[in-house]
Amino acid sequence: MVAAKTQHFFLTTTHGQRFCTLYEPSTSQSRGALLYLHPLAEEMNKSRRMAALQSRALAAQGFTVLQLDLLGCGDSSGDFGDASWAQWIDDALAGLGELRARSDAPLWLWGLRTGALLAGAVASKAPRLAGLLMWQPVVSGQLALQQFLRLRSAGEVLGNGAKGVVAGLRADLAAGRAVEVAGYRLSPALASGLEQATLQLPPPVLHVSWLEVAAKPDARLAPAAAAVIERWQAAGVDVCTSVVCGPAFWQTTEIEDAPALIAATLGSLSTHTESCAA
């Protein structure tokens, strides 16, 4: 293992400043360079510790990691209500450009939950990627939006009335009006882009590490995830999967760690980079 260096800076884009944290190995040679794309809304805050722990562990193993707060998120400029799915794709591409300028190592996209969904959309627009690291990927943006809107209904009504609240929120969005959900102002542009997003088939040259956590040690991938992976593998995509035991840290009440996920990630990336170098 090698020591890691950490640097914070703002990346200037055409739509404002994006806050970045760069984790680098102390050695001059990097085994790989990863851009981390965080999940939606409060899931981002719940996941910050795990993302930092994983980034430090990767840097200690010789990888470079760039974490980027998307438009309206974290310490980046703009309000969450100003964000759109298309703008977040542009942010990710800008982050990849910055990472490429700092490292000539093979580039990876690393996404958690809706961040993995975003990574899938970015992969088709970013040439020369080595792979995708997907943590608990959301396979359907439509379902992700529905679950997010239900956060509003959970705080207002019980039982069948929840459907009416969600329907009302959808009506407002369809009419071009932003809605407030769990303290976040959701714009029609972001809602529409998210709802239309699905995990796209990545280029066959990419390696995909699909990692999930579950409360039970013998858990398997959900049928929807397994179906996506089967389609990708049938199309020639190199996909390796693993389900490890741990908490759903992106949604737990208290901030929690998933050490098994960190170990599985290190193992997956190390195995791939060693096989590529052989």
Side-chain angles (χ1 to χ4, degrees):
M1 295 179 63
V2 297
K5 301 179 291 184
T6 305
Q7 177 186 354
H8 304 285
F9 63 92
F10 283 95
L11 174 63
T12 300
T13 73
T14 55
H15 293 85
Q17 303 284 313
R18 302 293 173 266
F19 181 75
C20 297
T21 302
L22 183 70
Y23 299 83
E24 295 179 290
S26 60
T27 57
S28 58
Q29 187 67 31
S30 178
R31 299 169 64 189
L34 297 89
L35 174 67
Y36 170 69
L37 300 176
H38 58 75
L40 183 69
E42 195 59 25
E43 289 189 0
M44 172 191 181
N45 296 324
K46 295 286 188 179
S47 305
R48 275 196 181 276
R49 175 174 166 80
M50 268 296 293
L53 289 174
Q54 184 68 78
S55 296
R56 294 190 189 102
L58 284 166
Q61 292 288 342
F63 294 89
T64 300
V65 181
L66 178 64
Q67 294 185 2
L68 179 145
D69 291 355
L70 299 167
L71 169 65
C73 301
D75 294 313
S76 287
S77 63
D79 296 324
F80 188 85
D82 299 328
S84 69
W85 191 251
Q87 182 57 60
W88 281 358
I89 291 176
D90 288 344
D91 284 355
L93 290 172
L96 280 176
E98 178 68 16
L99 192 54
R100 171 50 73 212
R102 292 172 177 267
S103 173
D104 59 1
L107 286 177
W108 286 66
L109 283 169
W110 165 26
L112 168 61
R113 300 278 293 151
T114 52
L117 190 64
L118 183 64
V122 173
S124 63
K125 301 175 181 293
R128 298 183 297 123
L129 283 179
L132 297 174
L133 171 59
M134 312 188 87
W135 272 11
Q136 210 79 22
V138 171
V139 300
S140 167
Q142 183 179 38
L143 180 59
L145 176 63
Q146 184 75 0
Q147 292 173 342
F148 183 63
L149 294 179
R150 284 175 181 167
L151 295 176
R152 168 77 172 266
S153 65
E156 294 185 4
V157 296
L158 298 175
N160 294 331
K163 295 181 179 180
V165 173
V166 172
L169 294 174
R170 286 187 170 277
D172 284 339
L173 290 168
R177 295 187 292 270
V179 298
E180 197 81 18
V181 179
Y184 291 87
R185 182 172 170 269
L186 178 67
S187 72
L190 179 55
S192 175
L194 176 60
E195 186 167 35
Q196 295 175 43
T198 58
L199 271 182
Q200 301 177 20
L201 180 68
V205 295
L206 285 185
H207 172 83
V208 178
S209 291
W210 185 305
L211 306 178
E212 300 199 9
V213 295
K216 297 181 179 180
D218 58 346
R220 298 184 178 183
L221 291 169
V228 171
I229 292 168
E230 184 177 352
R231 288 199 302 271
W232 287 5
Q233 291 175 330
V237 180
D238 177 23
V239 185
C240 69
T241 66
S242 182
V243 181
V244 300
C245 188
F249 56 87
W250 58 90
Q251 64 182 15
T252 53
T253 302
E254 302 295 331
I255 302 300
E256 295 197 44
D257 301 339
L261 180 59
I262 294 175
T265 300
L266 293 175
S268 179
L269 289 185
S270 295
T271 297
H272 177 69
T273 54
E274 288 168 3
S275 65
C276 288

